[in-house]
Amino acid sequence: MQINHQRIQRSLFDKKWMQFAVLAAAFFIFTHPIHAVEGEIEASHDVIVVGGAMSGITAAFHLQDYDVKVLERSYQIGGRALTQSFHTFAYESAANGRVRNPICEMIDGMGLEILKIISPDQVYVHNNQWFYGRDGLALMLIEQNSVQDFNRFASTVQSLFNQYSDLPDFDFNSSLAALDNITAGQWFADNQFPPAFLDQYNVISRGRFGSNLDEISALSLIAEIGGDFVDFKPIQTADSLTNSATTGQYKTNKYVFADNDQTIKTITEYFGDRVHVFSNVLEVTREGNRFLVVYEDKEKQRHVEAARAVILAVPAFIANSMASSILSQEQVDLLQQVPYRSYVTVQLYSETPIINQAFRFIAPAGLLFTDVYDDLWGYRATDPSFTAEMVTATVIVSPQSHNDESFFDIGEDEMYNRLFSEMDPFFAGVQEKALGYVSYNLSNIDPIMNLGAYHRLARLHETMRDGLILSGDYTIFPDFEGMVNSGYVAAQRAKEFLQQDSSVLYSDRYR
Ligand SMILES: Cc1cc2nc3c(=O)[nH]c(=O)nc-3n(C[C@H](O)[C@H](O)[C@H](O)COP(=O)(O)OP(=O)(O)OC[C@H]3O[C@@H](n4cnc5c(N)ncnc54)[C@H](O)[C@@H]3O)c2cc1C
């Protein structure tokens, strides 16, 4: 065997092109070392942020008093928030009342325009009846079970969520911590909540995490749905719910950015030359008390810049590969344990809206799709005279299980056939209405809060004691508030680190 192997190698090397390729590669490596070398450093900063999406931009926003530079690989900032080109990117409550918090400070500080998503923001269906908003979900579950069942479920979630705070402040001494080590499915079973509850929240879990309730921790389910029960008061009779639940008239606390393109433009102009797009970071290393960041520009020209602190605002697996030589073994292990979900979104184009009952339709259990969003709801709902030549709806097609590898084997034709026939009972004539459709396979796109995720991430936060700081939605909780808060926390960490020894700051340009 060994002899054969050597023979094969030799015969390959005998080929002229192979000799040339090996020599060319050796020459390239010799002339283009990936590691930064002294003399190559073009600029020095207080902080370099790698990744110009929401967490990186938030970090940079809160580090404006320092010399901060953002390096973004793509042609524009925005990252995953732009995986859909229309207006389904929604976020909740935090901007409500313009409270001073990281999100509001950014929205106000940069002058970003947001639209309130007016009611009904969500609709559920059971037995051909439509149920709107939180009260609608309550009424639907009550109709399938009882007022007592719903009150017990809601007050349990409410009391758990009252003790909840997001990472890195989560209190591991609270009774809530144990919920990180059982699945949400187990939690439903332990509490003997009826199957209808399990089924509906399973759809929500699939839509949100690409995973069923047996694949996420009970704690992450509480984090996900707890906000819906903050104001919960025990229901006396189902009749007390029927008005808003069946008419869809109620107050929401959800928002969308008014216009993605304009939002990106405003943020880009705000930061000016502090944000560099087309900057693909290859490696981050450490030299003495500074970090060296090696990146390539659009023309594949290599650059090296230095910083006292670096914020890696990229997904866990990318952070791991670009900084492997300076992350501790424990950090590498923890980052490797962050699972990412894969799923498909389908965008349906039509002249008249596919969905006009609500911003978001949440499907019943057992279907291929979990959600349908009206992409232009913000405009249509706030401006009755709004017209567009073409409107779009986005459908989330999510596997029944995170581990269902056969999901991506369904051919496109079969997927559309199944999708249209599953949607038709709720959106009559959807296939004829859809003048065009396009699907996006989103592979390894969003982090999953699986069993033990909080414990592992808390440990990851503890390891960030020096100027190498990890940020992104996977470090806290994967939603808008999470990614913004992660950027804010990263900025605070960077400031603390820089202030430990102000003599090492490279620039006081912005002070
Ligand atoms: C289809 C879809 C719909 C969603 N809808 C919602 C929603 O309605 N509400 C909500 O709250 N959340 C939503 N989310 C989740 C939300 O988009 C994410 O939580 C958020 O965008 C994550 O931001 P981030 O800054 O942590 O990471 P990312 O957006 O992943 O940012 C990482 C950035 O780093 C850059 N980068 C990567 N590698 C390099 C490199 N080598 N060099 C330089 N730069 C690099 C990337 O280009 C990217 O810009 C949705 C996600 C998807 C996919």
Side-chain angles (χ1 to χ4, degrees):
M1 286 296 283
Q2 217 180 352
I3 293 168
N4 284 345
H5 179 64
Q6 282 170 352
R7 268 200 197 131
I8 289 165
Q9 276 191 334
R10 204 176 310 122
S11 68
L12 267 178
F13 197 72
D14 281 347
K15 292 193 189 310
K16 284 275 177 275
W17 66 266
M18 192 64 184
Q19 284 179 2
F20 177 76
V22 169
L23 289 174
F27 178 75
F28 183 84
I29 289 166
F30 182 72
T31 53
H32 296 77
I34 192 163
H35 299 297
V37 289
E38 192 61 47
E40 278 191 301
I41 299 165
E42 295 168 23
S44 293
H45 309 276
D46 295 332
V47 187
I48 289 179
V49 178
V50 181
M54 283 318 285
S55 64
I57 288 296
T58 307
F61 180 82
H62 291 281
L63 284 166
Q64 289 180 77
D65 290 343
Y66 294 82
D67 173 359
V68 61
K69 180 161 189 177
V70 179
L71 297 173
E72 165 55 46
R73 172 176 69 180
S74 175
Y75 70 99
Q76 64 176 2
I77 59 164
R80 265 177 287 150
L82 298 179
T83 40
Q84 286 160 306
S85 48
F86 286 87
H87 301 275
T88 50
F89 193 83
Y91 58 95
E92 274 192 70
S93 72
N96 214 0
R98 319 305 287 161
V99 208
R100 300 308 292 175
N101 68 26
I103 297 176
C104 298
E105 277 182 57
M106 289 223 308
I107 290 170
D108 287 346
M110 295 191 224
L112 303 179
E113 202 194 331
I114 54 172
L115 290 176
K116 191 168 171 106
I117 298 175
I118 65 167
S119 71
D121 60 338
Q122 46 189 301
V123 62
Y124 303 81
V125 65
H126 176 65
N127 278 348
N128 295 325
Q129 198 187 332
W130 296 68
F131 297 88
Y132 296 98
R134 289 173 190 174
D135 280 0
L137 176 60
L139 185 62
M140 186 179 85
L141 292 171
I142 287 169
E143 286 198 357
Q144 294 173 69
N145 301 279
S146 69
V147 170
Q148 289 74 16
D149 283 326
F150 185 78
N151 282 345
R152 191 167 67 82
F153 176 78
S155 52
T156 306
V157 176
Q158 184 185 44
S159 73
L160 292 171
F161 190 67
N162 281 343
Q163 305 166 51
Y164 180 83
S165 42
D166 216 337
L167 286 165
D169 299 325
F170 182 81
D171 178 6
F172 283 89
N173 294 319
S174 73
S175 56
L176 219 52
L179 295 186
D180 192 31
N181 295 324
I182 61 164
T183 66
Q186 185 63 49
W187 178 77
F188 272 88
D190 290 350
N191 284 283
Q192 297 180 333
F193 293 129
F197 287 67
L198 184 101
D199 286 349
Q200 194 58 57
Y201 282 100
N202 204 35
V203 176
I204 291 170
S205 173
R206 280 174 52 222
R208 192 60 184 72
F209 296 109
S211 306
N212 61 45
L213 291 175
D214 291 328
E215 295 168 327
I216 62 165
S217 74
L219 183 53
S220 48
L221 180 75
I222 298 301
E224 174 64 18
I225 68 173
D228 289 349
F229 298 93
V230 173
D231 304 323
F232 170 74
K233 292 191 182 58
I235 294 162
Q236 303 304 321
T237 62
D239 286 349
S240 62
L241 294 169
T242 43
N243 192 31
S244 69
T246 51
T247 62
Q249 301 299 311
Y250 54 88
K251 280 190 183 160
T252 80
N253 57 356
K254 291 201 177 84
Y255 299 81
V256 281
F257 283 111
D259 180 325
N260 278 346
D261 292 341
Q262 186 54 43
T263 304
I264 296 302
K265 196 164 167 262
T266 307
I267 298 175
T268 306
E269 283 170 7
Y270 183 87
F271 282 100
D273 66 1
R274 282 175 286 176
V275 171
H276 275 219
V277 292
F278 285 123
S279 300
N280 181 23
V281 173
L282 304 174
E283 192 184 41
V284 181
T285 57
R286 198 192 300 259
E287 186 206 68
N289 64 357
R290 63 185 176 173
F291 294 92
L292 302 183
V293 178
V294 182
Y295 66 97
E296 267 180 3
D297 65 18
K298 203 170 159 184
E299 275 80 40
K300 301 265 177 235
Q301 289 297 309
R302 168 194 157 90
H303 302 270
V304 182
E305 299 198 16
R308 179 77 180 109
V310 168
I311 296 175
L312 299 180
V314 290
F317 50 91
I318 298 181
N320 225 347
S321 70
M322 68 174 55
S324 58
S325 67
I326 52 171
L327 289 164
S328 68
Q329 187 55 48
E330 184 182 17
Q331 287 174 321
V332 169
D333 292 344
L334 290 166
L335 288 172
Q336 275 173 353
Q337 289 176 54
V338 180
Y340 276 78
R341 72 178 290 202
S342 301
Y343 65 113
V344 172
T345 62
V346 175
Q347 211 138 19
L348 304 176
Y349 293 80
S350 57
E351 276 173 359
T352 54
I354 301 278
I355 168 170
N356 57 14
Q357 297 87 341
F359 170 62
R360 174 189 179 198
F361 170 88
I362 300 168
L367 303 179
L368 195 59
F369 74 104
T370 57
D371 305 79
V372 182
Y373 289 91
D374 176 359
D375 293 325
L376 298 175
W377 179 262
Y379 285 113
R380 296 201 307 111
T382 49
D383 175 7
S385 63
F386 175 82
T387 51
E389 265 178 39
M390 202 65 89
V391 289
T392 70
T394 296
V395 186
I396 307 291
V397 180
S398 199
Q400 301 291 335
S401 157
H402 167 54
N403 295 316
D404 177 8
E405 284 170 11
S406 66
F407 176 73
F408 283 98
D409 295 339
I410 307 173
E412 221 180 22
D413 289 346
E414 192 194 331
M415 183 193 69
Y416 282 126
N417 284 341
R418 277 178 62 183
L419 189 60
F420 286 133
S421 68
E422 284 184 357
M423 285 180 74
D424 202 66
F426 315 112
F427 307 100
V430 56
Q431 186 159 12
E432 293 71 43
K433 233 177 181 182
L435 300 176
Y437 33 89
V438 55
S439 67
Y440 301 94
N441 277 10
L442 303 177
S443 188
N444 289 322
I445 190 88
D446 294 322
I448 304 168
M449 299 296 277
N450 64 349
L451 271 191
Y454 281 79
H455 284 84
R456 288 197 302 273
L457 292 176
R459 185 64 207 131
L460 190 64
H461 281 275
E462 279 169 23
T463 64
M464 289 184 242
R465 294 241 168 78
D466 61 7
L468 182 63
I469 299 155
L470 298 158
S471 178
D473 60 352
Y474 75 90
T475 62
I476 294 190
F477 189 81
D479 63 8
F480 188 89
E481 281 86 0
M483 67 190 158
V484 169
N485 288 341
S486 79
Y488 176 78
V489 169
Q492 302 313 312
R493 276 205 176 110
K495 281 183 199 172
E496 274 166 32
F497 177 75
L498 294 171
Q499 283 159 7
Q500 280 166 17
D501 181 359
S502 57
S503 65
V504 296
L505 299 185
Y506 288 111
S507 158
D508 55 8
R509 243 194 315 158
Y510 298 104
R511 268 182 289 276

